[in-house]
Amino acid sequence: MTILLFCLFLISIPVLWILFDRDLMAPAFIFCVMYTFSIGSALINRKRWGLEISVKTFTIYTVGLLIFILVNLTCKYIFSKDRQVFLKSESIQRININYTFTLVLVVISIITIYMWIKNVKIIAGVSGSLGQIMEAYRLKTSYSVNADVSMPGYITQLAKIVIASGYVYGFIFINNVLSKDFKRRDILLLIPVLLYVIMSIYDSNRLNFLQIAATFVVYYYLLASTDSNFNKKAGKFLCKLLILFSLLLLVFYSVRLLVGREGSKDTGLIEYITMYSGGPLKLFDMFIRDPIHSTDVWGKETFISLNGNLNDLGIINIPKYLGHKEFRSYNGIGLGNVYSAYREWYADFGMTGVVVLQSIFATFFSIFYYTLKSVGYTKHRFALIMYGYMAATIFLHPIDDQFFRMFVSIGFLIYVVIFYAIYMMSSKKLKIVVD
């Protein structure tokens, strides 16, 4: 069944390439490619993991793919009735920066990171290498609901500024590179991005690297595609993307010890990457065969952030709980506790939940994507910034559900306000010329 599932996804790639007019960023195409990579990674370890998925696992993965394809095709058809809308060329103009505001923002970010690092060391309570400190910090903060071992609230809120700055200034940098009016001082725009990376290391969060890389790929592709001749270069862009993806995996592997994954010190590159990307398939199948889940809270895994917000506001009354799932192993081989996005949905709501939530997920991104595509990316830069930020969850779908956890919450509304404020205050609006 596993090989059949892989073949199904693999064959779907060229089919979708044609159906979506060689659009690499079509949501369904991204979804299919990432799952193909995940399933392929699992197959590399097929014998070691005793991997032979159940019919139910095969069905859930297949249904999820079909839902995304059908929804995406429907939205594409609705929005592209007037095909000239998708064929128009746009002129990308540089975004001028308010450097006074940028300097203030950088200072705030540096102070925030300093306080963050200081508290990380206090919480960790150990001395030694950065990896040892981060491992102690991660174990204390990730697996405890005790407020005494968590980052102070005011620092957590300030960290949102660091995060938003990294994405906004990364977008502006990419925009200016493609505007053909790039200036040497625009290199300074990468400082907020670098500061965000540094904070991510001290947050022991590797997913941040994958998320920001995926977001920047979306920014670059969508802005570059405003050139009417871009489709002719899609194949060349795909080759560059594959090289970039390989480099990203190498970086992801290289920083594992820095962010506190000391247990993987002797793990090779291929074994480590395929474990992380392919493990969710094996783990999800193990969950299907042997489910371990408490149903004492509605949407316990899917809506953990929303439940926490409602609990803090006194709207509901539930005990605090951790979002981490159980660790599993096979024949002494630790597989981790990452089960793909389907785990949360199936655990909380069964097969109906998988169908409904996958439909919502696919519909949201399909409508958002084709709305942007039809009105023009350069006319709605802020919407493009937010789309790229959110679209990273499509890339991460085979690993975990970040969509309902991150974006269905009050915290996300705060992020939207911060993103908008930073974008508006850092840039000077220019009149966009559309050819």
Side-chain angles (χ1 to χ4, degrees), residues 169-242:
Y169 278 84
F171 171 82
I172 296 173
F173 176 81
I174 293 170
N175 180 90
N176 287 356
V177 168
L178 294 172
S179 70
K180 299 180 181 179
D181 190 19
F182 183 78
K183 303 182 185 301
R184 284 189 297 178
R185 66 173 179 267
D186 287 334
I187 295 293
L188 297 175
L189 298 173
L190 294 178
I191 293 177
V193 179
L194 177 61
L195 291 174
Y196 171 64
V197 170
I198 292 173
M199 197 186 76
S200 295
I201 292 174
Y202 279 94
D203 190 31
S204 188
N205 193 330
R206 295 172 298 169
L207 277 181
N208 284 354
F209 299 109
L210 299 180
Q211 184 168 344
I212 198 168
T215 297
F216 287 174
V217 167
V218 172
Y219 290 161
Y220 183 89
Y221 181 90
L222 297 188
L223 287 173
S225 67
T226 58
D227 183 347
S228 59
N229 296 318
F230 181 76
N231 278 346
K232 298 177 182 178
K233 308 172 186 177
K236 185 180 294 186
F237 180 84
L238 179 59
C239 293
K240 292 180 180 178
L241 191 58
L242 291 174

Coordinates of all heavy atoms in Angstrom, one line a residue, residues 169-242:
Y169 N 10.6 42.7 6.2 CA 11.8 43.2 5.6 C 12.4 42.2 4.6 O 13.0 42.6 3.6 CB 12.9 43.5 6.6 CG 12.6 44.9 7.2 CD1 11.7 45.1 8.2 CD2 13.2 46.0 6.7 CE1 11.4 46.3 8.8 CE2 13.0 47.3 7.2 CZ 12.1 47.5 8.2 OH 11.8 48.7 8.7
G170 N 12.1 40.9 4.8 CA 12.5 39.9 3.8 C 11.7 40.1 2.5 O 12.3 40.0 1.4
F171 N 10.4 40.4 2.6 CA 9.6 40.7 1.5 C 10.1 41.9 0.7 O 10.2 41.9 -0.5 CB 8.1 40.9 1.9 CG 7.3 41.4 0.8 CD1 6.8 40.5 -0.2 CD2 7.0 42.7 0.6 CE1 6.0 41.0 -1.2 CE2 6.2 43.2 -0.4 CZ 5.7 42.3 -1.3
I172 N 10.4 43.0 1.5 CA 10.8 44.2 0.8 C 12.2 44.0 0.1 O 12.4 44.5 -1.0 CB 11.0 45.3 1.9 CG1 9.6 45.7 2.5 CG2 11.6 46.6 1.3 CD1 9.6 46.7 3.6
F173 N 13.1 43.2 0.7 CA 14.3 42.9 0.1 C 14.1 42.2 -1.3 O 14.7 42.6 -2.3 CB 15.2 42.1 1.0 CG 16.5 41.6 0.4 CD1 17.6 42.5 0.4 CD2 16.6 40.4 -0.2 CE1 18.8 42.1 -0.2 CE2 17.8 39.9 -0.7 CZ 18.9 40.8 -0.7
I174 N 13.3 41.2 -1.2 CA 13.0 40.4 -2.5 C 12.3 41.3 -3.5 O 12.7 41.3 -4.7 CB 12.1 39.2 -2.2 CG1 12.9 38.2 -1.3 CG2 11.6 38.5 -3.4 CD1 12.0 37.1 -0.7
N175 N 11.4 42.2 -3.1 CA 10.7 43.1 -4.0 C 11.7 44.0 -4.7 O 11.7 44.2 -5.9 CB 9.7 43.9 -3.2 CG 9.0 44.9 -4.1 OD1 7.9 44.6 -4.7 ND2 9.5 46.1 -4.2
N176 N 12.6 44.6 -3.9 CA 13.6 45.5 -4.4 C 14.6 44.8 -5.3 O 15.1 45.4 -6.3 CB 14.3 46.2 -3.3 CG 13.4 47.3 -2.6 OD1 12.3 47.5 -3.0 ND2 13.9 47.9 -1.5
V177 N 15.0 43.6 -5.1 CA 15.9 42.8 -6.0 C 15.2 42.7 -7.3 O 15.9 42.8 -8.4 CB 16.2 41.5 -5.4 CG1 16.9 40.6 -6.4 CG2 17.1 41.6 -4.2
L178 N 13.9 42.4 -7.3 CA 13.2 42.1 -8.6 C 12.7 43.4 -9.3 O 12.3 43.4 -10.4 CB 12.0 41.2 -8.3 CG 12.3 39.8 -7.9 CD1 11.1 39.1 -7.5 CD2 13.0 39.0 -9.0
S179 N 12.9 44.5 -8.6 CA 12.4 45.8 -9.1 C 13.3 46.4 -10.2 O 13.0 47.4 -10.8 CB 12.2 46.8 -8.0 OG 13.4 47.2 -7.5
K180 N 14.5 45.8 -10.3 CA 15.6 46.3 -11.2 C 16.1 47.7 -10.8 O 16.7 48.4 -11.5 CB 15.1 46.3 -12.6 CG 14.7 44.9 -13.1 CD 14.2 45.0 -14.6 CE 13.9 43.6 -15.0 NZ 13.4 43.6 -16.4
D181 N 15.8 48.1 -9.5 CA 16.3 49.3 -9.0 C 16.9 49.1 -7.6 O 16.7 49.8 -6.7 CB 15.1 50.3 -8.9 CG 15.6 51.7 -8.5 OD1 16.8 52.0 -8.7 OD2 14.8 52.5 -8.0
F182 N 17.6 47.9 -7.5 CA 18.2 47.5 -6.3 C 19.4 48.4 -6.0 O 20.2 48.7 -6.8 CB 18.6 46.0 -6.4 CG 19.2 45.5 -5.1 CD1 18.4 45.1 -4.1 CD2 20.6 45.3 -5.0 CE1 18.9 44.5 -2.9 CE2 21.1 44.8 -3.8 CZ 20.3 44.4 -2.8
K183 N 19.5 48.8 -4.7 CA 20.6 49.6 -4.3 C 21.4 48.9 -3.2 O 20.9 48.0 -2.5 CB 20.1 51.0 -3.7 CG 19.3 51.7 -4.7 CD 18.8 53.1 -4.1 CE 17.9 53.8 -5.0 NZ 18.4 54.1 -6.3
R184 N 22.7 49.2 -3.1 CA 23.6 48.4 -2.2 C 23.1 48.5 -0.8 O 23.3 47.6 0.0 CB 25.0 48.9 -2.4 CG 25.8 48.4 -3.6 CD 27.2 48.8 -3.6 NE 27.5 50.2 -3.5 CZ 28.7 50.8 -3.5 NH1 29.8 50.0 -3.4 NH2 28.8 52.1 -3.5
R185 N 22.6 49.6 -0.4 CA 22.1 49.8 1.0 C 20.9 48.9 1.3 O 20.6 48.7 2.5 CB 21.8 51.2 1.3 CG 20.6 51.8 0.5 CD 20.2 53.2 1.0 NE 19.1 53.7 0.3 CZ 19.1 54.5 -0.7 NH1 20.3 54.8 -1.2 NH2 18.0 55.0 -1.3
D186 N 20.3 48.3 0.3 CA 19.2 47.4 0.5 C 19.6 46.1 1.2 O 18.8 45.4 1.8 CB 18.5 47.0 -0.8 CG 17.6 48.2 -1.3 OD1 17.2 49.0 -0.5 OD2 17.4 48.2 -2.6
I187 N 20.9 45.8 1.2 CA 21.5 44.7 1.9 C 21.1 44.8 3.4 O 20.9 43.8 4.1 CB 23.0 44.6 1.8 CG1 23.4 44.3 0.3 CG2 23.6 43.5 2.7 CD1 22.9 42.9 -0.2
L188 N 21.0 46.1 3.9 CA 20.7 46.3 5.3 C 19.3 45.7 5.7 O 19.0 45.5 6.8 CB 20.7 47.8 5.6 CG 22.1 48.5 5.4 CD1 22.0 50.0 5.7 CD2 23.1 47.9 6.4
L189 N 18.5 45.5 4.7 CA 17.1 45.0 4.9 C 17.2 43.6 5.5 O 16.2 43.1 6.0 CB 16.3 45.0 3.6 CG 16.0 46.4 3.0 CD1 15.4 46.2 1.6 CD2 15.2 47.2 3.9
L190 N 18.3 42.9 5.3 CA 18.5 41.5 5.8 C 18.8 41.5 7.3 O 18.8 40.4 7.8 CB 19.6 40.8 5.0 CG 19.3 40.6 3.5 CD1 20.4 39.9 2.8 CD2 18.0 39.7 3.3
I191 N 19.1 42.6 7.9 CA 19.4 42.6 9.3 C 18.2 42.1 10.1 O 18.4 41.2 11.0 CB 19.8 44.0 9.8 CG1 21.2 44.4 9.1 CG2 19.9 44.1 11.3 CD1 21.7 45.8 9.5
P192 N 17.0 42.6 9.9 CA 15.8 42.0 10.7 C 15.6 40.5 10.4 O 15.2 39.8 11.3 CB 14.6 42.9 10.2 CG 15.2 44.1 9.7 CD 16.6 43.8 9.1
V193 N 15.9 40.1 9.2 CA 15.8 38.7 8.9 C 16.8 37.9 9.7 O 16.5 36.8 10.3 CB 16.0 38.4 7.4 CG1 15.9 36.9 7.1 CG2 15.0 39.1 6.6
L194 N 18.1 38.4 9.8 CA 19.1 37.7 10.6 C 18.8 37.7 12.1 O 19.0 36.7 12.7 CB 20.4 38.4 10.4 CG 21.7 37.9 11.2 CD1 21.9 36.5 10.8 CD2 22.9 38.8 10.9
L195 N 18.2 38.8 12.6 CA 17.8 38.8 14.0 C 16.7 37.8 14.3 O 16.7 37.2 15.3 CB 17.4 40.2 14.3 CG 18.5 41.3 14.3 CD1 17.8 42.7 14.5 CD2 19.5 41.0 15.4
Y196 N 15.8 37.6 13.3 CA 14.8 36.6 13.5 C 15.4 35.2 13.6 O 14.9 34.4 14.4 CB 13.7 36.7 12.4 CG 12.7 35.6 12.4 CD1 11.9 35.4 13.4 CD2 12.7 34.7 11.3 CE1 10.9 34.4 13.4 CE2 11.8 33.7 11.3 CZ 10.9 33.5 12.3 OH 10.0 32.5 12.3
V197 N 16.3 35.0 12.7 CA 17.0 33.7 12.7 C 17.7 33.4 14.0 O 17.6 32.3 14.6 CB 18.0 33.6 11.5 CG1 18.9 32.3 11.6 CG2 17.3 33.6 10.2
I198 N 18.4 34.4 14.5 CA 19.1 34.3 15.8 C 18.1 34.0 16.9 O 18.3 33.1 17.8 CB 19.9 35.6 16.1 CG1 21.0 35.8 15.2 CG2 20.4 35.5 17.6 CD1 21.7 37.1 15.3
M199 N 17.0 34.7 16.9 CA 16.0 34.4 18.0 C 15.4 33.0 17.9 O 15.1 32.3 18.9 CB 14.9 35.4 18.0 CG 14.1 35.4 19.3 SD 12.6 36.5 19.2 CE 11.5 35.5 18.2
S200 N 15.2 32.5 16.6 CA 14.7 31.2 16.4 C 15.7 30.1 16.9 O 15.2 29.1 17.5 CB 14.5 30.9 14.9 OG 13.5 31.8 14.4
I201 N 17.0 30.4 16.8 CA 17.9 29.4 17.4 C 17.8 29.4 18.9 O 17.8 28.3 19.5 CB 19.4 29.8 17.0 CG1 19.6 29.7 15.5 CG2 20.4 29.0 17.8 CD1 20.9 30.2 15.0
Y202 N 17.6 30.5 19.5 CA 17.5 30.6 21.0 C 16.1 30.2 21.4 O 15.8 30.2 22.6 CB 17.9 31.9 21.5 CG 19.4 32.1 21.6 CD1 20.2 32.6 20.6 CD2 20.1 31.6 22.8 CE1 21.6 32.7 20.7 CE2 21.4 31.7 22.9 CZ 22.2 32.2 21.8 OH 23.6 32.3 22.0
D203 N 15.2 30.0 20.5 CA 13.9 29.5 20.8 C 13.8 27.9 20.6 O 12.8 27.3 20.8 CB 12.8 30.2 20.0 CG 11.4 29.8 20.4 OD1 11.2 29.6 21.6 OD2 10.5 29.8 19.6
S204 N 14.9 27.4 20.1 CA 15.0 25.9 19.9 C 13.9 25.5 18.9 O 13.3 24.4 19.0 CB 14.9 25.1 21.2 OG 15.2 23.7 20.9
N205 N 13.7 26.4 17.9 CA 12.6 26.1 16.9 C 13.1 26.0 15.5 O 13.5 26.9 14.8 CB 11.6 27.3 17.0 CG 10.3 26.9 16.3 OD1 10.3 26.2 15.3 ND2 9.2 27.5 16.8
R206 N 13.2 24.7 15.1 CA 13.7 24.5 13.7 C 12.7 24.7 12.6 O 13.0 25.0 11.5 CB 14.2 23.0 13.6 CG 15.4 22.7 14.4 CD 15.7 21.2 14.4 NE 14.6 20.5 14.9 CZ 14.5 19.1 14.8 NH1 15.4 18.5 14.2 NH2 13.5 18.5 15.4
L207 N 11.4 24.6 13.0 CA 10.3 24.8 12.0 C 10.4 26.2 11.5 O 9.9 26.5 10.4 CB 9.0 24.5 12.6 CG 8.5 23.0 12.6 CD1 7.2 22.9 13.2 CD2 8.6 22.4 11.2
N208 N 10.8 27.2 12.3 CA 10.9 28.6 11.8 C 11.8 28.7 10.6 O 11.5 29.5 9.7 CB 11.5 29.4 13.0 CG 10.5 29.7 14.0 OD1 9.3 29.3 13.9 ND2 10.9 30.4 15.1
F209 N 12.9 27.9 10.5 CA 13.8 28.0 9.4 C 13.1 27.5 8.1 O 13.2 28.1 7.1 CB 15.0 27.1 9.6 CG 15.9 27.6 10.8 CD1 15.9 26.8 11.9 CD2 16.6 28.8 10.7 CE1 16.7 27.2 13.0 CE2 17.4 29.2 11.8 CZ 17.4 28.4 12.9
L210 N 12.3 26.4 8.3 CA 11.6 25.9 7.1 C 10.5 26.8 6.7 O 10.2 27.1 5.5 CB 11.0 24.5 7.5 CG 11.9 23.4 7.8 CD1 11.2 22.1 8.2 CD2 12.9 23.1 6.7
Q211 N 9.8 27.4 7.7 CA 8.7 28.3 7.4 C 9.1 29.6 6.7 O 8.5 30.0 5.7 CB 7.9 28.7 8.7 CG 6.7 29.5 8.5 CD 5.8 29.6 9.7 OE1 6.0 28.8 10.7 NE2 4.9 30.6 9.7
I212 N 10.2 30.2 7.2 CA 10.6 31.5 6.6 C 11.2 31.2 5.2 O 11.0 32.0 4.3 CB 11.6 32.2 7.5 CG1 11.6 33.7 7.0 CG2 13.0 31.6 7.5 CD1 12.4 34.6 8.0
A213 N 11.9 30.1 5.0 CA 12.4 29.7 3.7 C 11.3 29.5 2.7 O 11.3 30.0 1.6 CB 13.3 28.5 3.8
A214 N 10.2 28.8 3.1 CA 9.1 28.5 2.2 C 8.4 29.8 1.9 O 8.0 30.1 0.7 CB 8.1 27.6 2.9
T215 N 8.3 30.7 2.9 CA 7.6 32.0 2.7 C 8.4 32.9 1.6 O 7.8 33.4 0.7 CB 7.5 32.8 4.0 OG1 6.7 32.0 4.9 CG2 6.9 34.1 3.8
F216 N 9.7 32.9 1.8 CA 10.5 33.7 0.8 C 10.5 33.1 -0.6 O 10.5 33.9 -1.6 CB 11.9 33.8 1.3 CG 12.1 34.7 2.5 CD1 13.4 34.7 3.2 CD2 11.1 35.4 3.0 CE1 13.5 35.6 4.3 CE2 11.2 36.3 4.1 CZ 12.5 36.3 4.8
V217 N 10.3 31.8 -0.7 CA 10.2 31.2 -2.0 C 8.9 31.7 -2.7 O 8.8 32.0 -3.8 CB 10.2 29.7 -1.9 CG1 9.7 29.0 -3.2 CG2 11.6 29.2 -1.6
V218 N 7.8 31.7 -1.8 CA 6.5 32.2 -2.3 C 6.6 33.6 -2.7 O 6.1 34.0 -3.8 CB 5.4 32.0 -1.2 CG1 4.1 32.7 -1.7 CG2 5.2 30.5 -0.9
Y219 N 7.2 34.5 -1.9 CA 7.4 35.9 -2.3 C 8.1 36.0 -3.6 O 7.7 36.8 -4.5 CB 8.2 36.6 -1.2 CG 7.5 36.8 0.1 CD1 8.2 37.1 1.3 CD2 6.1 36.7 0.2 CE1 7.5 37.3 2.5 CE2 5.4 36.9 1.4 CZ 6.2 37.2 2.6 OH 5.5 37.4 3.8
Y220 N 9.2 35.4 -3.7 CA 10.0 35.5 -4.9 C 9.3 35.0 -6.2 O 9.3 35.7 -7.2 CB 11.3 34.7 -4.8 CG 12.3 34.9 -6.0 CD1 13.2 35.9 -6.0 CD2 12.2 34.1 -7.1 CE1 14.1 36.1 -7.1 CE2 13.0 34.2 -8.2 CZ 14.0 35.3 -8.2 OH 14.8 35.5 -9.2
Y221 N 8.7 33.9 -6.1 CA 8.0 33.3 -7.2 C 6.8 34.2 -7.7 O 6.7 34.5 -8.9 CB 7.5 31.9 -6.9 CG 6.8 31.2 -8.1 CD1 7.5 30.5 -9.0 CD2 5.4 31.4 -8.3 CE1 6.9 29.8 -10.0 CE2 4.8 30.8 -9.3 CZ 5.5 30.0 -10.2 OH 4.9 29.4 -11.3
L222 N 6.0 34.6 -6.7 CA 4.8 35.4 -7.1 C 5.2 36.7 -7.7 O 4.6 37.2 -8.6 CB 3.9 35.5 -5.9 CG 3.3 34.2 -5.4 CD1 2.2 34.4 -4.3 CD2 2.7 33.3 -6.5
L223 N 6.2 37.4 -7.1 CA 6.6 38.7 -7.6 C 7.3 38.5 -9.0 O 7.0 39.3 -9.9 CB 7.6 39.4 -6.6 CG 6.9 39.9 -5.4 CD1 8.0 40.4 -4.4 CD2 6.0 41.1 -5.7
A224 N 8.1 37.5 -9.1 CA 8.8 37.3 -10.4 C 7.8 36.9 -11.5 O 8.0 37.2 -12.7 CB 9.9 36.2 -10.2
S225 N 6.7 36.2 -11.1 CA 5.7 35.8 -12.1 C 4.9 36.9 -12.7 O 4.1 36.7 -13.6 CB 4.8 34.7 -11.5 OG 4.0 35.3 -10.5
T226 N 5.1 38.1 -12.2 CA 4.4 39.3 -12.8 C 4.9 39.6 -14.2 O 4.3 40.3 -14.9 CB 4.5 40.5 -11.9 OG1 5.9 40.8 -11.7 CG2 3.9 40.3 -10.5
D227 N 6.1 39.0 -14.5 CA 6.7 39.2 -15.8 C 5.9 38.2 -16.7 O 5.8 37.0 -16.5 CB 8.1 38.8 -15.8 CG 8.8 39.0 -17.2 OD1 8.1 39.1 -18.2 OD2 10.0 39.0 -17.2
S228 N 5.3 38.7 -17.8 CA 4.5 37.8 -18.7 C 5.3 36.7 -19.3 O 4.7 35.7 -19.8 CB 3.9 38.7 -19.8 OG 4.9 39.3 -20.6
N229 N 6.6 36.8 -19.3 CA 7.5 35.7 -19.9 C 8.0 34.7 -18.9 O 8.7 33.8 -19.2 CB 8.7 36.3 -20.6 CG 8.3 37.2 -21.8 OD1 7.4 36.8 -22.6 ND2 8.9 38.3 -21.9
F230 N 7.5 34.9 -17.6 CA 8.0 34.0 -16.6 C 7.7 32.6 -16.7 O 8.5 31.7 -16.4 CB 7.4 34.5 -15.2 CG 8.0 33.7 -14.0 CD1 9.3 33.9 -13.6 CD2 7.2 32.8 -13.4 CE1 9.7 33.2 -12.5 CE2 7.7 32.0 -12.3 CZ 9.0 32.3 -11.9
N231 N 6.5 32.3 -17.3 CA 6.2 30.8 -17.4 C 7.1 30.1 -18.3 O 7.3 28.9 -18.1 CB 4.7 30.7 -18.0 CG 3.7 30.9 -17.0 OD1 4.0 30.8 -15.8 ND2 2.4 31.1 -17.4
K232 N 7.8 30.8 -19.2 CA 8.8 30.1 -20.1 C 10.0 29.7 -19.3 O 10.8 28.9 -19.7 CB 9.2 31.1 -21.2 CG 8.0 31.4 -22.2 CD 8.4 32.4 -23.2 CE 7.2 32.8 -24.1 NZ 7.6 33.8 -25.1
K233 N 10.2 30.4 -18.1 CA 11.4 30.1 -17.3 C 11.0 29.2 -16.1 O 11.9 29.0 -15.2 CB 12.0 31.4 -16.8 CG 12.2 32.5 -17.9 CD 12.6 33.8 -17.2 CE 12.7 34.9 -18.3 NZ 13.0 36.2 -17.7
A234 N 9.8 28.7 -16.1 CA 9.4 27.9 -14.9 C 10.3 26.7 -14.7 O 10.6 26.4 -13.5 CB 7.9 27.5 -15.1
G235 N 10.7 26.0 -15.8 CA 11.5 24.8 -15.6 C 12.8 25.2 -15.0 O 13.3 24.5 -14.1
K236 N 13.4 26.3 -15.4 CA 14.7 26.8 -14.9 C 14.6 27.1 -13.4 O 15.4 26.8 -12.6 CB 15.2 27.9 -15.7 CG 16.6 28.4 -15.3 CD 17.1 29.6 -16.1 CE 17.3 29.2 -17.5 NZ 17.8 30.4 -18.3
F237 N 13.4 27.8 -13.1 CA 13.2 28.2 -11.7 C 13.0 26.9 -10.8 O 13.5 26.9 -9.7 CB 11.9 29.0 -11.6 CG 11.6 29.4 -10.2 CD1 12.1 30.5 -9.6 CD2 10.7 28.7 -9.4 CE1 11.8 30.9 -8.3 CE2 10.3 29.1 -8.1 CZ 10.9 30.2 -7.6
L238 N 12.4 25.9 -11.4 CA 12.2 24.6 -10.6 C 13.6 24.0 -10.3 O 13.8 23.5 -9.2 CB 11.4 23.6 -11.4 CG 11.1 22.3 -10.8 CD1 10.4 22.4 -9.5 CD2 10.3 21.4 -11.7
C239 N 14.5 24.0 -11.2 CA 15.9 23.5 -11.0 C 16.6 24.3 -9.8 O 17.2 23.7 -8.9 CB 16.7 23.5 -12.2 SG 16.1 22.4 -13.5
K240 N 16.4 25.6 -9.9 CA 17.0 26.4 -8.8 C 16.4 26.1 -7.5 O 17.0 26.1 -6.4 CB 16.9 27.9 -9.2 CG 17.7 28.4 -10.4 CD 17.5 29.8 -10.6 CE 18.3 30.3 -11.8 NZ 18.1 31.8 -12.1
L241 N 15.1 25.9 -7.5 CA 14.3 25.6 -6.3 C 14.8 24.3 -5.7 O 14.9 24.2 -4.5 CB 12.8 25.5 -6.6 CG 11.9 25.5 -5.4 CD1 12.1 26.8 -4.5 CD2 10.4 25.5 -5.9
L242 N 15.1 23.3 -6.5 CA 15.5 22.0 -6.0 C 16.9 22.1 -5.4 O 17.2 21.5 -4.3 CB 15.6 21.0 -7.2 CG 14.2 20.5 -7.7 CD1 14.5 19.7 -8.9 CD2 13.4 19.8 -6.7

